[in-house]
Amino acid sequence: MHKKLFIPGPVEVRPDVLEKMATPMIGHRSKDASALQRRISEKLKTLFYTKEEILLSTTSGSGLMEGAVRSCTAKRAAVFSVGAFGKRWYEMAKFNNVPADLFEVEWGKPTTAEAVDEVLSTGKYDLITITHNETSTGVMNPVEEIAEVMKKYPEVVYCLDTVSSMGGTKIEVDKLGVDICITSSQKALGLPPGLAVCSFSQKAVERAKQVPYRGLYLDLLALYEFIQKKDYQYPSTPSLSHMFALDYQLDRILEEGLENRFERHRQMAEVVRAWAREHFEILPEEKYMSNTVTTIKNTRDIDVSDLNKKLGERGLQISNGYGKLKDKTFRIAHMADCTMEDIKDLLRNIDDILGF
Ligand SMILES: *Cc1c(COP(=O)(O)O)cnc(C)c1O
């Protein structure tokens, strides 16, 4: 039996979107391929609220995260981490021999604008990475406040991981001053895993030109220059299947209306939070709670894997905690094409299993 996924990626994918993955192939050097990739970029610009260029990558989101820190750090990167995925960005820098420092907070806490200001005021850094929505802890960082501080540091390239939030909440890339905004297909966009996309600002382009060793496959400047010259085609063969599905799904997202879509996510988050407050506690403070995933403290010491087994018998699946929060928390994702009905049905089933 298929289990409907309420895990923070991969998410449940609609059958009509899945079907688009089975579209017959076209040549990746054809006019049709150029048109497909150009259409996708245009629609993504609307979703990202950006006028900058969009890059597609046949990797998961991690590919573009690694490409960003390697391609655009000329001096030293400041990596801000509030959980598992921030830490991973630091490791990407380290194993690519990119000078970087890690600034971590206790899991469940956010990256504050003050912390960013304090670190950047040293003048040591020319790139920062921030996790917008930390999927391990359910923290959504205060990017509007961080954007205010970033205005003081125009020389710093700002990379933002929106892997688990883009498409589920409003992220106005240009207004926030983000240079490289990265997301993956399998989270709030509601597609199968295997494709990543990012915005790539002129400032990032200029910076990358000063970095001699940018890698090859994930050299973001090379991708950028290639699509300019070759009418949106990519240096190597991209996952055309994902592109057919993304082209279709972006139409659906824009038809729903971005504001409606973000509001739907906010309302689902409210319902999950209300339920979590009644029976458990939520890990982050109110102000920093994510609109796409709720990380719940296991204050009743329930057996999460047993709960998931029983949910599985009913065709449903939630997520245990991530990394060091494995047994201390559990997570319910409410993103992509998940509906309020789906969420209410899930919570009814959990209530029934736990005897609430
Ligand atoms: C899932 C996730 C990643 C990793 O993305 P992949 O597509 O699996 O490489 C990075 N950051 C965040 C916040 C995530 O949720």
Side-chain angles (χ1 to χ4, degrees):
M1 177 175 46
H2 172 67
K3 291 180 202 157
K4 194 180 268 187
L5 298 179
F6 294 88
I7 61 174
V11 298
E12 195 63 21
V13 180
R14 287 171 52 111
D16 51 331
V17 176
L18 278 179
E19 232 170 74
K20 293 289 168 190
M21 292 286 290
T23 306
M25 283 305 119
I26 57 175
H28 71 298
R29 298 283 174 237
S30 65
K31 281 208 165 62
D32 286 347
S34 288
L36 174 66
Q37 293 171 97
R38 207 170 333 105
R39 278 202 303 280
I40 290 170
S41 288
E42 283 310 312
K43 286 181 266 197
L44 284 173
K45 285 181 191 176
T46 306
L47 176 66
F48 279 54
Y49 296 84
T50 185
K51 292 193 165 51
E52 304 284 2
E53 193 55 276
I54 298 285
L55 304 176
L56 311 181
S57 170
T58 299
T59 57
S60 71
S62 302
L64 285 176
M65 289 167 70
E66 183 161 343
V69 75
R70 176 159 186 176
S71 303
C72 294
T73 308
K75 203 160 71 178
R76 195 170 190 89
V79 177
F80 291 87
S81 173
V82 298
F85 292 105
K87 187 89 184 282
R88 191 185 287 182
W89 223 337
Y90 174 70
E91 286 172 348
M92 288 165 174
K94 189 169 125 189
F95 290 110
N96 278 290
N97 211 17
V98 171
D101 292 312
L102 175 65
F103 301 95
E104 275 184 293
V105 296
E106 192 190 326
W107 283 32
K109 299 271 189 292
T111 297
T112 61
E114 293 74 35
V116 172
D117 199 9
E118 198 185 314
V119 167
L120 292 185
S121 67
T122 61
K124 278 163 70 178
Y125 305 98
D126 64 351
L127 180 141
I128 63 162
T129 75
I130 302 273
T131 312
H132 176 241
N133 191 69
E134 177 51 68
T135 317
S136 54
T137 59
V139 164
M140 201 169 255
N141 274 317
V143 281
E144 283 82 11
E145 295 167 19
I146 293 170
E148 283 308 306
V149 164
M150 288 307 292
K151 287 180 186 158
K152 287 165 60 180
Y153 305 100
E155 73 286 2
V156 176
V157 168
Y158 179 5
C159 305
L160 187 65
D161 169 354
T162 65
V163 170
S164 60
S165 48
M166 182 60 79
T169 195
K170 192 177 209 166
I171 303 161
E172 295 179 275
V173 169
D174 288 356
K175 206 163 132 191
L176 294 172
V178 175
D179 295 295
I180 309 178
C181 184
I182 300 166
T183 197
S184 302
S185 54
Q186 78 279 14
K187 300 204 181 164
L189 290 179
L191 296 155
L195 191 76
V197 302
C198 72
S199 64
F200 197 60
S201 74
Q202 277 308 308
K203 188 163 117 191
V205 170
E206 293 313 313
R207 167 62 55 73
K209 288 178 182 166
Q210 300 164 18
V211 178
Y213 295 107
R214 300 182 299 270
L216 191 83
Y217 190 67
L218 296 170
D219 174 0
L220 302 195
L221 180 61
L223 295 186
Y224 174 85
E225 289 179 337
F226 200 92
I227 66 172
Q228 310 303 315
K229 269 191 233 124
K230 305 277 173 153
D231 195 13
Y232 285 86
Q233 293 176 10
Y234 281 80
S236 47
T237 323
S239 175
L240 293 158
S241 308
H242 278 93
M243 288 170 187
F244 292 128
L246 178 58
D247 187 34
Y248 173 80
Q249 175 70 341
L250 286 169
D251 283 338
R252 287 195 59 256
I253 289 172
L254 296 173
E255 266 161 37
E256 177 179 11
L258 293 181
E259 295 294 344
N260 294 338
R261 188 175 175 88
F262 304 147
E263 180 59 18
R264 174 168 58 80
H265 280 79
R266 208 189 51 74
Q267 288 177 5
M268 292 191 297
E270 294 269 303
V271 167
V272 174
R273 287 173 203 162
W275 176 87
R277 282 192 196 97
E278 192 183 334
H279 303 292
F280 298 91
E281 278 171 40
I282 303 172
L283 182 64
E285 265 174 62
E286 180 85 33
K287 184 181 167 193
Y288 305 114
M289 287 177 189
S290 162
N291 284 349
T292 56
V293 57
T294 300
T295 299
I296 300 163
K297 283 198 210 169
N298 186 5
T299 48
R300 290 173 180 248
D301 213 15
I302 60 161
D303 184 338
V304 176
S305 58
D306 185 60
L307 168 63
N308 235 345
K309 202 169 123 228
K310 290 183 173 136
L311 281 170
E313 288 159 10
R314 301 171 183 217
L316 302 164
Q317 190 184 348
I318 61 167
S319 181
N320 56 9
Y322 193 103
K324 61 185 174 191
L325 296 179
K326 191 166 190 288
D327 300 311
K328 293 189 193 131
T329 63
F330 60 98
R331 295 173 298 162
I332 298 177
H334 27 82
M335 61 171 91
D337 291 315
C338 181
T339 66
M340 188 63 95
E341 262 326 293
D342 295 330
I343 287 293
K344 287 187 173 160
D345 181 58
L346 172 73
L347 298 177
R348 263 195 304 272
N349 276 285
I350 299 178
D351 282 349
D352 190 43
I353 292 166
L354 296 180
F356 290 157

